[in-house]
Amino acid sequence: MATTNLSGQTAKSFKSLAKKRFAIVVSEWNDSVTEALYSGAYQTLRDYGVPKDHIIRRNVPGSFELSLGAQYMAEKKDIDAVICLGCVIQGETRHFEFICNAVADGITNVGLKFNKPVIFGVLTPDTQQQALDRAGGKHGNKGDEAAVTAIKMLGEFTS
Ligand code: DLZ
């Protein structure tokens, strides 16, 4: 399956990004994957010129909690964009569907409620290997892509 891979975009510093503040909300479930997503997102923001102290990390227990974690951060006036990172792996029960649907809807609603970019950086693979392939593996790093998406939504890539 083709995977859109933005990881290879040329990193350039944008002066205006030095003033932007990003929250990254990270799910602790499947943490070998979500830590890799976080590293990718953090490094991409840094590569584009976001200062270290303008990147605020918060953890939540699982992906289901990402929406509320995102809301806590999006309601802060000094946060310009929120990046949500999680990994829900298909299991034998319907838990997967409930979590994926809830977090997709929840994150969408937070962005609309606060009129800010709230980025869906949640992997929903069938297997752990598929997740690792997308967290710094052969399909790139979706954490990088989530950071690029946040920057795009702030207008930094528009001409
Ligand atoms: C319970 C659960 C399960 C079975 N699987 C995952 C998963 O693959 N990825 C993930 O991020 N979280 C999982 N969780 C935890 C839920 O997201 C949530 O933390 C709990 O249901 C408590 O609300």
Side-chain angles (χ1 to χ4, degrees), residues 27 29-30 61-65 87-89 95 99:
S27 162
W29 261 75
N30 300 313
S63 293
F64 188 83
E65 285 74 37
C87 173
V88 193
I89 298 179
H95 220 99
I99 296 172

Side-chain angles (χ1 to χ4, degrees), residues 15-35:
K15 268 192 185 157
S16 53
L17 278 179
K19 297 199 177 94
K20 302 290 185 192
R21 294 172 68 89
F22 294 80
I24 306 181
V25 185
V26 185
S27 162
E28 291 171 346
W29 261 75
N30 300 313
D31 64 347
S32 60
V33 175
T34 60
E35 288 300 328

